[in-house]
Amino acid sequence: MTMITKDVTPTVTGGGRSRGPSVPEQRTEGTQVASPGGRVSVAVYAEDLILQTGMVHQLRMRPEIELIPEEEADRAQVSLVVVDLVNEPTVQLLHRLQRNTATRTGLVVGFFETGALQTLIEYGVAAVLRRGEADQDRLVHLVTAIAKGEGVLPGDLLGKLLDHVSSLHRTVLDPRGLSLSTLTAREAEMIRLVSEGYGTAEIAQKTSYSERTVKNVLHEVAARLELRNRAHAVGYAMRHGLI
C-alpha cells in the first residue's frame, strides 16, 4: 500500500496494480495524445491502495475512459487525485501536477474544508467531487467535463467560492483601485466616459484628475492591451464586459 507522505506521492495507475511514486519533483510538459475512439485519457493518483483500487474499478468499466499506465502519466488529459482530505502532501502533489500544462486536474475528496478553496484556486484544480457522491456516472461526468475545459463544483462549494471572490474584491482589490478584470477601476471609469462621448477635459473634470493624467491613463491602457485608439479601447472594453 502506497500512502501520501511528504516524500512519497500517491499511486498512479492505469490498470489496477499498486505502483510506487510516479510524479517526479520536476515534471516536464507532456503532450496530450488523443485516446482511441475519442476516449478521455486519465491518470489516477490515490493516497492508498483501497482508494486506488476502487477508483480504477469504477472507471475501467466505462468505454469513455482510457486509464493511463504509470509510465505514460504525463500524457493524460485528466489527472484525478483521490484523497480523504486536502492536507500538505496533497498540496505538494497538486503543485507538481500544475507544472504539467498538458493535463487538467480533478479532485475526489472525502472531507473538504472551506479553507481549501484557496488551495484549489492557486493550484488550478478544475473540478471537485465529494467521495460520498462519487458513483460511476458522476465520476465519468467529472472526467469528461474536465477534458472539455469545464469546471465542476458541488453547489455549496460554488457558493463559497463566489463569496471568497467577493471578499477578495472587497478587502484587497477595491482599496487599491484594482479589479479582477484587465482594467483597474479608474481605467474602466475613464473608458466608460469616453464611450459616452466625453473629451479629455470633461473626463478630467468628472474624475477629479488632471487632463495630463487622463491622457496618460488612456495611453497606458491602449499600449498594454495593444489597442489602436480610444474607439478601439471602448470596443474592447464592451466586448469583454469591462464597462
Side-chain angles (χ1 to χ4, degrees):
M1 182 179 298
T2 303
M3 301 291 291
I4 296 180
T5 67
K6 289 187 177 180
D7 299 313
V8 180
T9 55
T11 299
V12 58
T13 182
R17 291 180 294 156
S18 179
R19 298 245 184 204
S22 59
V23 185
E25 283 296 323
Q26 297 294 328
R27 289 177 67 97
T28 57
E29 183 174 330
T31 302
Q32 284 186 0
V33 178
S35 299
R39 293 184 295 167
V40 178
S41 55
V42 181
V44 175
Y45 298 81
E47 69 178 346
D48 61 44
L49 182 59
I50 294 175
L51 292 178
Q52 173 255 336
T53 301
M55 190 59 53
V56 168
H57 176 72
Q58 293 268 52
L59 293 176
R60 73 191 310 178
M61 301 169 63
R62 296 296 292 257
E64 307 99 315
I65 306 299
E66 179 200 7
L67 288 168
I68 298 297
E70 175 185 357
E71 62 272 14
E72 299 179 23
D74 279 347
R75 77 172 179 87
Q77 294 170 275
V78 176
S79 294
L80 195 60
V81 176
V82 189
V83 294
D84 284 323
L85 53 85
V86 179
N87 53 21
E88 184 58 30
T90 305
V91 171
Q92 291 177 6
L93 173 64
L94 294 176
H95 180 54
R96 289 196 287 269
L97 290 174
Q98 188 182 35
R99 298 174 188 172
N100 180 6
T101 56
T103 185
R104 302 184 78 228
T105 301
L107 179 70
V108 180
V109 62
F111 177 73
F112 190 89
E113 296 178 330
T114 302
L117 276 173
Q118 183 66 37
T119 299
L120 303 191
I121 296 170
E122 290 179 1
Y123 295 112
V125 174
V128 177
L129 181 65
R130 289 191 172 90
R131 280 220 330 260
E133 302 172 350
D135 59 27
Q136 190 179 103
D137 287 338
R138 286 192 177 97
L139 284 170
V140 172
H141 171 73
L142 184 82
V143 167
T144 53
I146 294 172
K148 293 176 183 176
E150 300 172 359
V152 179
L153 282 178
D156 63 310
L157 292 186
L158 178 60
K160 291 174 182 177
L161 176 60
L162 294 175
D163 288 343
H164 176 77
V165 172
S166 177
S167 175
L168 176 66
H169 210 297
R170 184 174 60 255
T171 62
V172 178
L173 299 180
D174 282 348
R176 293 169 172 78
L178 302 174
S179 72
L180 292 173
S181 72
T182 53
L183 300 177
T184 67
R186 181 174 68 171
E187 291 168 345
E189 175 64 9
M190 289 186 182
I191 292 178
R192 183 185 65 78
L193 291 170
V194 171
S195 74
E196 295 176 0
Y198 293 104
T200 300
E202 294 169 306
I203 294 173
Q205 183 178 16
K206 287 181 175 295
T207 59
S208 299
Y209 289 107
S210 68
E211 291 185 36
R212 180 183 180 86
T213 297
V214 171
K215 290 178 181 179
N216 287 341
V217 167
L218 294 175
H219 176 76
E220 197 281 329
V221 169
R224 188 176 74 242
L225 300 179
E226 300 181 349
L227 305 171
R228 294 185 299 275
N229 48 44
R230 293 188 181 188
H232 192 191
V234 169
Y236 176 93
M238 294 182 69
R239 284 195 304 273
H240 291 83
L242 303 179
I243 61 173

